[in-house]
């Protein structure tokens, strides 16, 4: 592996997930050497456990965090606002794989939805047209089924219930994808063996992640200096206001400095915002790149909710690819439903260990036991829709709680917007109707899990005062600082975010490579 | 037999007395593992079963869960003494003699206590994380080493027609 000297001004990428891992590969492929700093360990596919709690303890980001606001998470899981990964490959190592694109009007949410009271809607400074070629590249990289000649995954049991229900209530736009797991061998990786373990890390490598594709390929270029267990604690800048050094703690807590020519932050929205806030200075008293006071604000987590339905016949929802089932009929913007924006329905399954923890947090008694008793006769779906950005939904630094390095923990404050509540109730209702149409005895509305989609804390904006980064993800305030993950999303759209994060990272890499070549960066 | 109000009052007064004498003796030597004090073991196992009643489950999973609860309850002396006192209160109230309905009502009346929450929280992450329970619920667990489910029934549901898997080809997309 390449070793870049600590005093050599390098391109430094922070975080190796969907955004950072993709950027590292695209830049090294273009001949640009990079240092990739990752807080987590270099776990390999064979290290993963086919066991929910063991995997959680092995992979989840469990550093100190706090919550506030009226969302139920603050009550049920007060120290776990988000369920994401700390390891090389980031959260792509245990994502499901659903890869829908954003729709054209979702890049123009303010124009399309109008002035929604309490929401800080804004149009993106880019359009679907700008992103379309990169969506193609991302789908090809990730091997999305139903796209670019990739075949569909077969119907698993959970999908059979889901799709038949969809048909009976009159939905048309259902399919087993797009989904970034191989239905047949592709790109040097095998076909799915339908092992049912996605949220625990995929041992088989059929599922795309930056761990199985971008990072090994970046290492092969001999231009990547990957440093796992390197937790960035501060980014500093020079007298001109350009970032110049990245300070990180190794696993023993010893501090190191890496000189930087360019810094790209991709720590997943909560950590990205926190790192900028922690990097305050005389010049940036509210946090690095935060003259607009927008860093940490407009935190979005998608609408979300799940419905688990019980039948009198076996389903075995846990067998097979967890989320290889998508219904897009409700994804459109149809304000006559009583809310703006739309949502997808996607198959979902948890094992008994996690279903017990998340189906009805805090629940107990005979009704709860009934949910669990029906485990092998249960079908499940997830609802994922656009939530409204709000200035007060926000990542800030805790004044009391510190992490293992003594750094202020992030606090995540969240209140549902009225539009979120209306959409969730409508979606629950329609999910329950779908299952009823196919014979469900009963169904249960499960509240949102700790956030798996974390977006918007450093949003892209045309005007510097409205956001944190420009159309390339470059900080308005700091010309050699980039944000390269889901935090740049101006609004969240209905679709799962990872395809868009990857597309944006490919586009950003092309821009950075171009600017470096021109000598303008 | 008709339960009079008076009898109930006497009963609960006796229970309180018993609880306080018991408490003095027994709290200090409350076992940290199951098996030290059969009566309190029984009360805890019964409590967990009433909270999460599954007719199909034998005592094994509930007993293993009680072990985990005791381990979680014994972290500090303060935790240990608070837990023992609460468990003794429950025993002294005659909890183990109650039928399912009355036992459920009794637990409902203490569901906001730290004691109850500790038992509940530990049970949720223990009882259903038990391979015997998985088997009883029809969950087949780790699968990679067995080649996944691709040849073990991932698509064996036959009570519904085979659905389309391709995206809709019609108009209006
Ligand atoms: C259970 C689950 C299922 C999901 N399913 C889907 C799906 O079907 N479709 C979809 O589109 N999305 C899905 N997602 C979401 C998807 O995983 C994320 O959108 C995506 O991984 C986010 O990419 P990222 O680059 O922003 O962050 P991540 O992938 O989380 O990567 C961030 C990395 O940065 C590291 N890091 C953070 N702070 C620091 C620091 N200070 N120093 C060094 N390193 C740091 C972290 O350890 C981590 O490795 C799912 C997520 C979960 C949890």
């Amino acid at each position: 592996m390449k070793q870049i000297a600590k005093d050599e001004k390098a391109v430094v990428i922070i975080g190796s997930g969907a955004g950072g891992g993709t950027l590292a590969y695209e830049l090294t492929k273009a001949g640009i050497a990079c240092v990739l700093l990752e807080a987590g360990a270099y776990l390999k596919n064979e290290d993963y456990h086919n066991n929910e709690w063991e995997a959680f303890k092995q992979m989840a980001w469990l550093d100190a965090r706090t919550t506030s606001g009226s969302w139920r998470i603050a009550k049920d899981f007060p120290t776990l606002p988000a369920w994401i990964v700390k390891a090389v490959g980031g959260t792509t190592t245990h994502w499901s794989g659903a890869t829908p694109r954003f729709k054209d009007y979702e890049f123009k949410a303010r124009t399309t939805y109008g002035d929604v009271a309490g929401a800080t809607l804004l149009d993106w400074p880019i359009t679907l047209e700008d992103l379309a070629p990169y969506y193609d590249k991302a789908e090809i990289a990730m091997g999305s089924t139903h796209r670019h000649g990739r075949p569909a995954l077969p119907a698993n049991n959970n999908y059979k219930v889901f799709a038949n229900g969809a048909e009976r209530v009159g939905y048309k736009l259902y399919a087993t994808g797009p989904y970034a797991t191989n239905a047949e061998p592709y790109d040097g990786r095998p076909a799915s063996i339908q092992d049912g373990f996605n949220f625990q890390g995929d041992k088989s490598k059929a599922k795309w992640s930056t761990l199985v594709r971008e990072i090994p390929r970046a290492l092969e270029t001999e231009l990547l200096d990957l440093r796992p267990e390197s937790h960035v604690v501060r980014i500093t800048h020079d007298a001109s206001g350009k970032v110049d050094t990245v300070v990180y703690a190794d696993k023993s807590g010893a501090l190191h400095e890496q000189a930087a020519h360019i810094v790209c932050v991709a720590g997943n929205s909560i950590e990205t915002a926190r790192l900028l806030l922690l990097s305050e200075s005389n010049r940036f008293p509210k946090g690095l790149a935060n003259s607009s006071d927008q860093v940490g604000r407009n935190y979005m987590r998608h609408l979300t909710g799940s419905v688990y339905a019980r039948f009198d016949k076996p389903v075995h929802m846990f067998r097979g690819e967890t989320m290889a089932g998508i219904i897009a009929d409700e994804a459109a913007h149809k304000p006559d439903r009583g809310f703006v924006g739309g949502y997808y329905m996607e198959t979902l399954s948890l094992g008994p260990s996690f279903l017990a923890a998340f189906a009805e947090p805090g629940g107990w008694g005979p009704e709860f036991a009934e949910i669990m008793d029906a485990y092998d006769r249960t079908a499940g779906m997830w609802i994922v829709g656009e939530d409204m950005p709000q200035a007060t939904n926000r990542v800030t630094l805790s004044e009391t709680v510190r992490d293992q390095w003594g750094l202020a923990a992030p606090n995540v404050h969240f209140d549902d917007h009225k539009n979120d509540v209306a959409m969730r109730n409508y979606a629950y209702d329609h999910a329950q109707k779908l299952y009823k149409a196919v014979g469900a005895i009963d169904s249960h509305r499960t509240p949102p899990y700790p956030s798996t989609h974390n977006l918007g804390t450093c949003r892209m904006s045309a005007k510097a005062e409205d956001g944190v980064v420009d159309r390339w993800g470059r900080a308005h305030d700091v010309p050699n600082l980039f944000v390269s993950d889901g935090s740049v999303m101006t609004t969240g759209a209905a679709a799962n975010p990872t395809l868009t994060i990857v597309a944006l990272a490919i586009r950003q890499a092309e821009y950075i490579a171009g600017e470096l070549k021109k000598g303008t960066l | 037999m008709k339960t009079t109000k008076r009898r109930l009052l006497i009963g609960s007064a006796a229970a309180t007395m018993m609880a306080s004498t018991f408490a003095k003796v027994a709290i200090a030597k409350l076992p940290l593992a199951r098996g030290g004090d059969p009566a309190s073991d029984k009360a805890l196992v019964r409590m967990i079963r009433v909270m999460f009643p599954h007719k199909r489950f034998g005592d094994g999973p509930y007993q293993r869960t009680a072990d985990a609860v005791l381990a979680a309850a014994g972290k500090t002396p303060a935790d240990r003494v608070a837990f023992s006192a609460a468990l003794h209160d429950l025993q002294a109230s005659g909890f183990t003699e109650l039928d399912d309905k009355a036992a459920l009502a009794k637990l409902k009346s203490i569901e906001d206590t730290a004691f109850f929450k500790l038992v509940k929280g530990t049970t949720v992450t223990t009882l259903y994380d038990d391979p015997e329970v998985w088997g009883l619920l029809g969950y087949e667990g780790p699968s990679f080493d067995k080649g996944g489910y691709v040849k073990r029934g991932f698509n064996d549901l036959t009570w519904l027609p085979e659905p389309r898997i391709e995206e809709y080809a019609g108009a209006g997309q």
Side-chain angles (χ1 to χ4, degrees), chain A residues 15 17-19 38-39 61 83 87 90-91 94 96-98 232 267-268 271 485 496 498:
Chain A
E38 166 55 54
W61 182 282
W83 174 22
T91 315
H94 85 164
S96 311
V232 177
N268 201 326
E271 289 310 312
D485 62 14
N496 316 53
T498 307

Side-chain angles (χ1 to χ4, degrees), chain B residues 25-46:
Chain B
V25 196
I27 286 178
K29 57 169 186 164
L30 183 98
L32 288 185
R34 252 179 359 93
D37 174 9
S40 69
D41 286 354
K42 201 174 151 203
L44 183 57
V45 170
R46 170 78 179 141

Side-chain angles (χ1 to χ4, degrees), chain A residues 265-277:
Chain A
V265 190
N268 201 326
S269 301
I270 298 174
E271 289 310 312
T272 291
R274 176 184 179 224
L275 180 59
L276 298 184
L277 294 174

Side-chain angles (χ1 to χ4, degrees), chain A residues 290-461:
Chain A
N290 195 22
S291 69
S292 64
D293 194 31
Q294 293 293 304
V295 170
R297 292 189 189 272
N298 310 303
Y299 168 71
M300 295 170 286
R301 60 185 304 254
H302 274 152
L303 178 78
T304 89
S306 315
V307 169
Y308 291 97
R310 300 196 284 270
F311 296 84
D312 57 7
K313 299 185 198 71
V315 178
H316 297 117
M317 65 174 171
F318 57 90
R319 295 183 190 157
E321 289 297 336
T322 309
M323 203 168 264
I326 301 183
I327 299 171
D329 293 77
E330 300 281 5
H333 168 57
K334 292 182 253 173
D336 55 332
R337 291 176 297 185
F339 52 86
V340 301
Y343 65 90
Y344 290 86
M345 297 161 140
E346 297 170 350
T347 54
L348 184 67
S349 151
L350 298 176
S353 310
F354 267 29
L355 191 67
F358 295 113
E360 184 52 52
W364 66 281
E367 277 170 38
F368 183 92
E370 223 179 312
I371 295 176
M372 298 306 298
D373 255 333
Y375 184 75
D376 57 354
R377 294 175 282 117
T378 296
M381 77 157 84
W382 199 50
I383 297 154
V384 51
E386 179 159 11
D387 60 342
M388 290 294 107
Q390 299 181 70
T392 48
N393 285 347
R394 183 177 183 195
V395 175
T396 54
L397 299 178
S398 168
E399 280 165 17
T400 50
V401 177
R402 315 253 137 197
D403 71 2
Q404 69 276 26
W405 310 125
L407 299 167
N411 181 67
V412 183
H413 180 95
F414 194 88
D415 299 300
D416 280 320
H417 187 277
K418 250 183 12 204
N419 196 75
D420 308 345
V421 176
M423 188 193 290
R424 185 179 300 124
N425 287 334
Y426 181 96
Y428 275 145
D429 210 44
H430 283 71
Q432 291 184 297
K433 279 192 181 128
L434 179 151
Y435 283 130
K436 194 146 193 217
V438 78
I441 308 166
D442 205 352
S443 58
H444 184 78
R445 297 179 172 198
T446 288
Y449 311 117
S451 315
T452 55
H453 300 173
N454 297 276
L455 312 167
T457 56
C458 295
R459 69 180 182 179
M460 234 184 223
S461 61

Side-chain angles (χ1 to χ4, degrees), chain A residues 74-86:
Chain A
K75 176 174 150 272
D76 294 330
F77 305 102
T79 60
L80 193 72
W83 174 22
I84 45 185
V85 173
K86 182 186 195 174

